[in-house]
């Protein structure tokens, strides 16, 4: 039994089966990403002023990736056209370039963009404690120029100050390659604090402590997290600097300044991972799902470039069709990125 | 299932067209044949319908007899489902449904009936089996994707079943899984981060949705690409149209729920706050979520799927009923073109009515006014469909065989379900009736004596084609009349209870709400109607034995059926019975519309679509597209 129109188009619809199939699949993909983008809009519009961070992503890197992806959309069409003209060597060349572009996109994402976020620390300050951290937030200045308030102090987590059983804390530090130092109490009301027991700072002299490890430590029974020792991001170190009034194309990066933030003043804290905020949740969700689509496309292309290319000798038209269908998918993935880029990097 | 599929294929073997022999596994289990996949979907769907019904019977026992152990099966139920769902009652008898167990059974009843029972049985099973035959295709366009669809669905079934046996039991946040309840349910120190009811529910749903998407792409592509020569759009049987539109609904409405499902999985597994509001306090403790999310977002994404889903449940049913009505009235379907137009309008409108499920969220009068308007408008195409089917009966010499009995009963039952929905469309009335038994009665009239009756009608109608044997008429009639009376016994009292204010989620059936239990309905205490419903439900469960016995017994011992036992016109009756791999034993060409019954001057009272016109030359109709 042979299914009709697997390679040749049906005259009245002008389509071969797979081409119709991919368009239908893409229609459902539009609804999938449509649902996600709607969630983005819904959550962003519902966010309180200041709670949707701006300027956290590196625009030049995003632009580079955008160009790479658009370029690969062109080369995949050239690969298909080469097959249609029965120029197999050209097909191999253009398809090869497409695969390299797709891989380059993923490499940039996975080496330059994602990893830094997993180690970067951010703490949302409780609303009634904003004035206490005015030196790092600069909200008076922002109110004057009618900008939304800064609600978060971020930077590199140098160490955490904890209270509790010294042996337990030292065990944890040892297991994780960290050191423990006794520190003195500081800030208001420290006479009361001292009664509760000595304070230890857990850190790594060079690398600091990763927020994930700090979280683990804080969840150990009998250990109480008292404060964070943070090497501040530039906009927190100098919050009234006009350069930081609006989002920059390149995030300003770390300063040399350090600050102690009391855990009791913090609403929630973590690395810049999905649970940090709805912003990072949607960012990782949408770019992650998009990344999986890119990966899928690259794998399919790699198959058509390698073992799948053998079909050329048997039925070149069939291979051309396959490349066309995969190419349509690739254009869609490209199109999604065209939405992702402004929504997350620019707006 | 392997055994029944095997029985089916015994007939299949001796057919000459089956040239390449496949092994057992490829032929009956990992088959790419649309008919085998249809049967797989059908048997799985029917099994889940039964299972969902059993869950409901246990709940109905608890509602009618709060705090009492389930008789006879109590010990067995407790042994199977464990301490979380069943415990000893005050008299130390095993098998009293706990409150958690009640929530869990309620959530799973809804989920299973909708996503694992009716959609597989009405859409996937009949669609797979009948649609390629009716359009004259050798198979689906993408047979391997079709197989992937079933096995993806099968994985989702396994995941859902496993979820009953993890600590804490299956999901208990309703089939709608509203956050933040569903975000905090089954979480904490006592639960495994993945092997818990709600997380497994979400995982199962993601697989289920993926299966539906694979299936719907295939259905649409098949109907567009593989129509036989001469099968123009307006010659498609109405069932094909209804499946075509249903597939579009699934294709476009399901992805947002898939997105929402993945988001809720992230909320549970990675601590994101998509649906978790700021400052959520649970049992006096501030939760750890960062917040900033919106529970209403979930409701929007969920109902954006779940309203079109209502039409996914009903359209295939209307399609089946239309086929059966036309065949058994021996006259053409009245208003075929209007019906096709109506389902297009219905499908489009179904995407802009979803928020009428959300009047209680305080959406504001302006938004509510918009959704009230669209909801009222959507009743117009529904009424067109029902009216056309009713008028189709007029003046026919009706053959009341079992499929026709079920199909005829579908019409008033669906009518009751539909018309009682109109008051709910208005937000002012909905505020009162929301979450009462009135709502339960309304949508169950649509899907239970509506869609499930249509499924029964479809089974009785196409059974001879599938197995080569007729089902027993006597058992069929017994099944029909008892089911019809009892199903009304189950649901009709719920309208009364709902209007008296009985809430749909009371674990004790309302016993601890004196203001309700003192209210009188038709001379009875409103809660005494619980017993009427419950007893009807148990009896309804018992009379399904007629159907099961008939289904199994006829497979082997039923009267043999020839190619076209009902004398129908559509193409599926033009194949050998049962159809071999590749379906047709002759070149198929279509010359006429789908319902040429009782054509004046014809030699018999039906003219098959493939029958050439009397003149040797084909008519100058739009020339068939197929070039072989």
């Amino acid at each position: 039994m042979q299914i009709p129109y697997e390679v040749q188009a049906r005259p009245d619809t002008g389509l071969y089966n797979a081409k119709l199939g991919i368009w239908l699949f893409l229609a459902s993909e539009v609804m999938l990403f449509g649902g996600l983008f709607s969630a983005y809009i819904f959550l962003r519009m519902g966010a309180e002023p200041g709670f949707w961070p701006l300027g956290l992503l590196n625009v030049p890197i995003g632009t580079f990736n955008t160009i790479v992806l658009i370029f690969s959309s062109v080369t995949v069409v050239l690969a298909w056209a080469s097959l249609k003209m029965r120029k197999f060597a050209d097909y191999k060349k253009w398809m090869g370039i497409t695969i390299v572009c797709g891989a380059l996109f993923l490499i940039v994402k996975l080496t330059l963009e994602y990893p830094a976020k997993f180690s970067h620390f951010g703490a949302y300050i409780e609303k009634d404690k904003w004035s206490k951290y005015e030196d790092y937030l600069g909200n008076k200045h922002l109110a004057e120029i009618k900008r939304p308030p800064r609600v978060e102090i971020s930077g590199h987590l140098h160490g955490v100050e904890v209270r509790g059983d010294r042996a337990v804390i030292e065990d944890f530090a040892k297991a994780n390659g960290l050191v423990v130092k006794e520190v003195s109490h500081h800030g208001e009301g420290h006479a009361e604090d001292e009664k509760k027991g000595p304070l230890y700072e857990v850190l790594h002299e060079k690398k600091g402590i990763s927020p994930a490890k700090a979280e683990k430590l804080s969840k150990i029974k009998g250990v109480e997290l008292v404060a964070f020792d943070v090497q501040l991001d530039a906009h927190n170190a100098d919050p009234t600097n006009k350069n930081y009034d609006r989002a920059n194309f390149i995030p300003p990066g770390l300063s040399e300044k350090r600050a102690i933030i009391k855990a009791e003043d913090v609403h929630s804290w973590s690395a810049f991972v999905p649970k940090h905020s709805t912003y990072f949740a949607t960012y990782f969700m949408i770019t992650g799902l998009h990344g999986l689509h890119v990966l899928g496309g690259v794998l399919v292309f790699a198959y058509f470039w390698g073992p799948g290319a053998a079909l050329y000798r048997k039925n070149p038209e069939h291979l051309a069709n396959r490349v066309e269908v995969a190419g349509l998918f690739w254009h869609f993935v490209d199109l999604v990125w065209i939405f992702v880029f402004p929504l997350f990097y620019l707006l | 299932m392997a055994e029944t599929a095997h029985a089916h294929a015994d007939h299949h073997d001796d057919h000459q067209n089956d040239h390449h022999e496949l092994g057992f596994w490829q032929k009956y289990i990992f088959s790419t044949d649309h008919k085998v996949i249809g049967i797989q979907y059908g048997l799985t769907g029917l099994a889940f319908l039964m299972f969902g019904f059993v869950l409901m019977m246990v709940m109905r026992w608890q509602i009618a007899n709060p705090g009492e152990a389930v008789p006879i099966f109590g010990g067995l139920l407790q042994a199977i489902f464990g301490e979380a769902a069943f415990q000893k009652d005050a008299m130390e008898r095993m098998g009293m449904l706990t409150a958690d167990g009640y929530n869990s059974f309620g959530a799973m009843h809804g989920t299973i009936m909708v996503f694992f029972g009716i959609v597989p049985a009405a859409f996937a099973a009949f669609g797979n089996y009948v649609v390629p035959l009716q359009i004259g295709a050798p198979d689906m366009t993408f047979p391997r994707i079709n197989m992937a669809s079933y096995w993806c669905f099968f994985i989702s079934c396994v995941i859902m079943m496993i979820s009953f046996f993890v600590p804490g039991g299956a999901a208990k946040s309703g089939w709608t899984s509203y956050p933040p309840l569903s975000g905090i349910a089954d979480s904490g120190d006592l639960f495994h981060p993945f092997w818990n009811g709600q997380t497994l529910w979400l995982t199962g749903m993601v697989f289920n949705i993926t299966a539906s998407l694979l299936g719907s792409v295939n259905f649409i592509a098949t109907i567009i690409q593989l129509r036989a020569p001469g099968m123009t759009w307006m010659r498609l049987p109405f069932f094909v149209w209804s499946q075509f539109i249903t597939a579009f609904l699934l294709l476009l409405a399901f992805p947002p729920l898939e997105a929402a499902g993945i988001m809720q999985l992230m909320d549970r597994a990675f601590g994101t706050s998509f649906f978790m509001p700021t400052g959520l306090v649970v049992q006096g403790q501030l939760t750890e979520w960062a917040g900033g999310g919106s529970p209403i977002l979930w409701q929007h994404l969920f109902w954006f799927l779940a309203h079109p889903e209502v039409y996914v449940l009903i359209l295939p049913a209307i399609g089946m009923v239309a086929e059966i009505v036309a065949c058994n009235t021996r006259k053409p379907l009245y208003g075929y073109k209007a019906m096709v137009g109506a389902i297009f309008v219905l499908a489009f409108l179904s995407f802009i009515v979803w928020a009428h499920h959300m009047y209680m969220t305080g959406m504001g009068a302006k938004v509510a006014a918009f959704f009230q308007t669209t909801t009222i408008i959507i009743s117009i195409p529904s009424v067109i469909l029902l009216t056309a089917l009713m008028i189709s009966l007029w003046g026919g010499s009706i053959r009341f065989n079992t499929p026709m009995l079920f199909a005829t009963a579908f019409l008033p039952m669906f009518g009751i379900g539909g018309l009682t929905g109109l008051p709910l469309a208005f937000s002012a009335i909905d505020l009162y009736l929301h979450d009462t038994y009135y709502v339960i009665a309304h949508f169950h009239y649509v899907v239970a004596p509506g869609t499930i009756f249509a499924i029964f009608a479809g089974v009785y109608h196409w059974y001879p084609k599938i197995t080569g044997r007729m089902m027993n008429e006597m058992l069929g009639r017994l099944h029909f009349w008892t089911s019809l009376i009892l199903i009304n016994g189950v649901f009709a009292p719920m309208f009364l209870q709902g209007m008296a204010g009985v809430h749909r989620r009371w674990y004790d059936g309302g016993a601890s709400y004196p203001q309700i239990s003192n209210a009188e309905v038709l001379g009875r205490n409103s809660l005494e109607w619980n017993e009427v419903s419950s007893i009807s439900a148990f009896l309804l469960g018992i009379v399904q034995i007629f159907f099961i016995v008939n289904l199994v017994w006829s497979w082997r011992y039923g009267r043999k059926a020839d190619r076209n036992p009902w004398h129908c016109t559509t193409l599926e009756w033009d194949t050998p019975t049962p159809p071999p791999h590749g379906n047709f034993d002759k070149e198929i060409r279509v010359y006429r519309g789908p319902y040429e019954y009782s054509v004046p001057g014809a030699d018999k009272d039906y003219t098959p679509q493939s029958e050439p016109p009397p003149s040797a030359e084909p008519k100058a109709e739009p020339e068939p597209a197929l070039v072989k």
Side-chain angles (χ1 to χ4, degrees), chain A residues 1 13 30 64 92 103 126 142 152 168 187 200 205 249 259 288:
Chain A
M1 181 195 65
T13 62
V30 166
F64 174 77
K92 283 287 239 189
E126 291 278 9
L142 288 170
E152 182 182 22
V168 173
Y200 308 102
E205 292 289 1
F249 269 6

Side-chain angles (χ1 to χ4, degrees), chain B residues 173 180-188 191-202 261-276 289:
Chain B
S173 312
L181 180 64
S182 56
I184 55 174
D186 300 342
S187 60
F191 294 92
H192 189 276
F194 179 77
W195 298 105
N196 63 69
Q198 185 63 23
T199 305
L200 285 174
W201 185 91
L202 290 164
I262 297 171
M263 282 190 250
Q264 199 180 98
L265 263 179
M266 283 181 75
D267 274 7
R268 294 180 59 84
F270 301 109
T272 57
S273 309
F274 285 111
F275 306 123
M276 296 315 224
W289 276 281

Side-chain angles (χ1 to χ4, degrees), chain B residues 147-211:
Chain B
M147 180 180 81
S149 165
Y150 177 75
W151 287 103
C152 204
F153 168 70
F154 188 80
I155 292 171
S156 76
C157 295
V158 171
I159 293 173
M160 281 294 171
M161 292 310 291
I162 287 175
S163 79
F164 279 96
F165 303 104
V166 295
K172 28 190 109 47
S173 312
W175 80 286
T176 52
S177 270
Y178 277 5
L181 180 64
S182 56
I184 55 174
D186 300 342
S187 60
D189 298 336
L190 296 173
F191 294 92
H192 189 276
F194 179 77
W195 298 105
N196 63 69
Q198 185 63 23
T199 305
L200 285 174
W201 185 91
L202 290 164
T203 317
M205 282 309 293
V206 169
F207 275 97
N208 185 295
I209 293 168
T210 309

